[in-house]
Amino acid sequence: MSSSRAWARRLRTERSRRGWSQRDLALQLSAVADRKLPEPESIVRRIRDHECGKHRPDDEYAELYCRVYGLSESALFNDGHEEVDLGDEIDAIELARRVAASNVSTETLERLELAIDDLASDYPRTPPAQLLGRVRRHLEYVTRLFDGKKTLAEHRRLLLAGGWLSLLAATCHIDLRQYPAAAARLRTAGQLAGHAGHDEIRAWCLETEAWQALTEGEYQHAMILAQGAQDVAPRTSSAFIQATGQEGRAWARMGKSTETRAALHRIHRMVSPMPMPDRPEHHFRYDPAKSDAYTATTLSWLGDPAAVNYARQVLARLESAVDGGPRPRRAASARLDLALALLATDEPGEAGYVARQALMSGLLVPSNYWRAKEVIAGVEEHGLAEAVELREVYRELYGSSSEPQRPQINS
């Protein structure tokens, strides 16, 4: 497939995912533009040419697409080098397989498992749409390997590879708010884990569902799913710790202080003896530094003034060179925690400033937009003039169709 068709397909997919007609998109582009654009009919003709690959968007329209879809230019309009590199990666594994004596050799599986670890480690620093494309290619390769001859042990390792990849794909889908696709991926991951008898993947599936429920304001459901994940997960696994954290955040959203603090206490007890993992960015390996970040988030949602100091410390660590170096995307989320905590301590001015930094980073993913909108609504409630600018920054960077609305907390 040519690179032009690739970006044209991405443009069509992003519009279709939102349920927009081409005229709807034309209105969205006009709303985020810095100047008055032509009439919608003229923009529709331009969109039609872009989506069929006839003309690549010029710099102005490329930027407008990025604003409306909340994606980076590289995620929408890369020149194809990324796909070539990914093809090379798959081809390298395939070559190793063919050199080996069996259809699915130990070496092939080892290289595939290393590639999965790389993908999981890239999750915190890669736009979800971009990472999803890489995960899909690896899933296609795993599917082909199932047709080859293999031992029972090799078959189980292949099941696990498919399970981890499906789980990571579901996580990307949730980041992009593509919930039907996420549900399908989670079902597949759970089925593969069931065939392989792997409880940790099954637990991660439930934990991931809990996280999605939490972002959708379904706090009771999130709590039940998180507890279910703990029931399934091995007691010393990362999935067990992460699910405990999700339970605590759900309790915080429901205003249950005692239950929230009990969950935080359990996490600290489990995490305190843990060493720093060799790959702290790995999405499915619990990094002890996450404990403070989860505490900051949870206490800010609970409205506890202690959240401010926690959030400041977490942000400083995420932007420092220690423990694996700076982590910009997690730092952007940490700024939202700090902003919400500052609102709870009646410091709306600094809250607005910190939230603006998070927005301007360009690193927020769609599953975090609601958190940004919550802070914006809180700043607006204080009647600050800065709230107008903050809302405009949000509209410009993340789309004009979502008005900031404050979710129900502690309900």
Side-chain angles (χ1 to χ4, degrees):
M1 176 177 289
S2 69
S3 60
S4 64
R5 291 181 181 177
W7 57 254
R9 184 182 70 248
R10 284 192 290 274
L11 290 176
R12 293 194 301 270
T13 298
E14 290 300 325
R15 178 176 58 80
S16 298
R17 184 169 65 81
R18 291 161 175 78
W20 293 345
S21 67
Q22 290 180 335
R23 181 176 174 80
D24 291 333
L25 176 56
L27 296 175
Q28 295 291 335
L29 294 173
S30 294
V32 300
D34 296 325
R35 67 174 181 88
K36 181 175 176 58
L37 296 184
E39 293 301 312
E41 289 72 18
S42 175
I43 303 175
V44 166
R45 288 193 294 271
R46 189 185 293 255
I47 291 170
R48 191 177 298 121
D49 286 346
H50 294 161
E51 291 189 349
C52 72
K54 185 176 180 180
H55 297 300
R56 186 185 179 93
D58 59 24
D59 289 344
E60 179 187 20
Y61 274 83
E63 182 178 352
L64 294 179
Y65 280 121
C66 292
R67 290 180 183 180
V68 166
Y69 292 141
L71 296 172
S72 68
E73 188 166 349
S74 63
L76 276 177
F77 302 108
N78 71 70
D79 60 6
H81 292 309
E82 179 188 326
E83 292 188 9
V84 172
D85 291 344
L86 180 56
D88 290 342
E89 182 180 346
I90 297 293
D91 289 344
I93 300 175
E94 174 66 5
L95 177 59
R97 182 185 72 83
R98 292 189 178 188
V99 169
S102 65
N103 281 20
V104 184
S105 69
T106 298
E107 183 178 357
T108 298
L109 290 166
E110 287 176 349
R111 294 189 65 169
L112 181 60
E113 288 160 354
L114 287 173
I116 293 170
D117 284 339
D118 288 341
L119 290 168
S121 298
D122 286 343
Y123 169 76
R125 54 178 174 258
T126 306
Q130 183 178 330
L131 185 64
L132 183 58
R134 294 170 57 194
V135 174
R136 282 170 173 158
R137 284 293 306 275
H138 283 82
L139 276 168
E140 291 169 2
Y141 184 64
V142 168
T143 301
R144 294 201 302 271
L145 289 180
F146 272 113
D147 294 331
K149 291 185 294 185
K150 51 197 172 295
T151 66
L152 286 175
E154 290 167 347
H155 180 72
R156 183 176 186 274
R157 289 175 70 179
L158 208 53
L159 287 170
L160 294 180
W164 286 119
L165 286 168
S166 297
L167 180 60
L168 185 55
T171 305
C172 293
H173 283 303
I174 292 172
D175 273 334
L176 297 168
R177 300 179 66 83
Q178 298 171 347
Y179 295 147
R185 297 287 191 189
L186 287 174
R187 282 195 297 271
T188 298
Q191 289 168 356
L192 293 174
H195 289 310
H198 198 278
D199 288 339
E200 184 167 10
I201 293 179
R202 292 176 55 222
W204 273 113
C205 289
L206 290 169
E207 186 278 338
T208 303
E209 284 190 74
W211 167 51
Q212 178 184 329
L214 198 61
T215 66
E216 290 296 290
E218 300 172 359
Y219 308 131
Q220 181 77 20
H221 187 46
M223 181 269 293
I224 292 171
L225 287 168
Q227 290 180 341
Q230 293 169 69
D231 290 339
V232 172
R235 288 299 180 267
T236 58
S237 67
S238 293
F240 186 86
I241 302 173
Q242 189 85 354
T244 305
Q246 297 295 13
E247 180 191 347
R249 298 207 293 182
W251 285 123
R253 279 282 159 175
M254 291 188 286
K256 303 294 186 180
S257 178
T258 301
E259 292 85 347
T260 300
R261 296 181 191 284
L264 290 176
H265 178 71
R266 295 201 304 274
I267 292 175
H268 289 305
R269 189 174 64 241
M270 289 184 285
V271 167
S272 57
M274 288 179 63
M276 178 65 64
D278 58 349
R279 304 186 76 169
E281 287 299 306
H282 197 297
H283 186 60
F284 301 116
R285 293 178 189 164
Y286 197 86
D287 167 9
K290 286 182 181 177
S291 176
D292 286 342
Y294 266 69
T295 298
T297 302
T298 305
L299 292 181
S300 69
W301 287 358
L302 195 60
D304 189 318
V308 173
N309 285 334
Y310 266 105
R312 291 193 196 280
Q313 293 170 13
V314 168
L315 181 57
R317 182 183 302 158
L318 292 173
E319 294 186 322
S320 73
V322 301
D323 296 338
R327 306 174 195 185
R329 200 164 100 186
R330 283 173 63 178
S333 297
R335 280 191 164 84
L336 295 181
D337 290 334
L338 176 55
L340 188 61
L342 288 165
L343 285 174
T345 55
D346 201 26
E347 300 174 76
E350 187 181 357
Y353 173 76
V354 173
R356 190 177 191 280
Q357 288 181 312
L359 294 175
M360 295 297 291
S361 72
L363 296 171
L364 297 180
V365 296
S367 61
N368 264 334
Y369 291 175
W370 69 276
R371 297 177 63 194
K373 291 189 287 185
E374 178 179 40
V375 174
I376 295 170
V379 174
E380 286 178 329
E381 286 180 3
H382 284 79
L384 298 184
E386 294 91 329
V388 175
E389 180 186 1
L390 190 61
R391 180 174 56 189
E392 289 305 316
V393 169
Y394 177 86
R395 285 177 172 172
E396 179 179 349
L397 293 176
Y398 299 100
S400 61
S401 60
S402 300
E403 286 293 329
Q405 295 176 352
R406 191 176 189 122
Q408 292 296 315
I409 307 177
N410 303 343
S411 59

